[in-house]
Amino acid sequence: MPVEEKTEQWETGEKVVEIELERLRTFTNHPFKVQADSQMIELQDSIRKYGILNPLIVRPRPEGVYEIISGHRRKFAAEKLGYRKVPVIIRAMN
């Protein structure tokens, strides 16, 4: 599947694109735990009101999906709010 056409150019030359949630995979050993707690409720309220202000950072995987480097909590909150796509920055990383 191709990446969505909606893009936004940032000063660094990177682009923000929207990707379907089902194409995102969790970074296995990320240090932050995603919990449905009071902070998650606050994040969901913020996303409901303003949208996702900071795009997730992902890296492409050979399987055709993207691994989340930063933004696990934003993805979780967006899923709970019924989002089907989220804004991401795709970076090639080892």
Side-chain angles (χ1 to χ4, degrees):
M1 271 190 235
V3 174
E4 279 295 311
E5 294 301 316
K6 181 180 177 186
T7 63
E8 178 182 333
Q9 190 78 28
W10 278 35
E11 291 179 20
T12 60
E14 294 182 322
K15 292 181 183 176
V16 176
V17 297
E18 287 192 347
I19 293 184
E20 299 84 5
L21 287 172
E22 63 265 12
R23 297 190 66 206
L24 300 176
R25 301 294 181 267
T26 303
F27 174 59
T28 307
N29 294 318
H30 73 93
F32 305 104
K33 302 301 173 209
V34 176
Q35 299 176 354
D37 55 12
S38 62
Q39 289 180 339
M40 182 58 67
I41 292 169
E42 289 176 19
L43 178 59
Q44 287 174 329
D45 289 343
S46 173
I47 291 173
R48 187 179 294 112
K49 188 172 183 178
Y50 304 109
I52 298 175
L53 300 177
N54 292 312
L56 287 69
I57 298 175
V58 300
R59 65 179 172 184
R61 303 302 302 157
E63 307 83 46
V65 297
Y66 296 89
E67 184 175 51
I68 301 170
I69 302 301
S70 172
H72 295 84
R73 295 182 73 248
R74 283 169 275 164
K75 177 189 177 274
F76 181 87
E79 281 179 319
K80 295 298 179 191
L81 291 170
Y83 276 56
R84 298 177 82 176
K85 297 178 184 177
V86 291
V88 303
I89 295 172
I90 301 170
R91 288 191 182 151
M93 305 171 125
N94 293 336

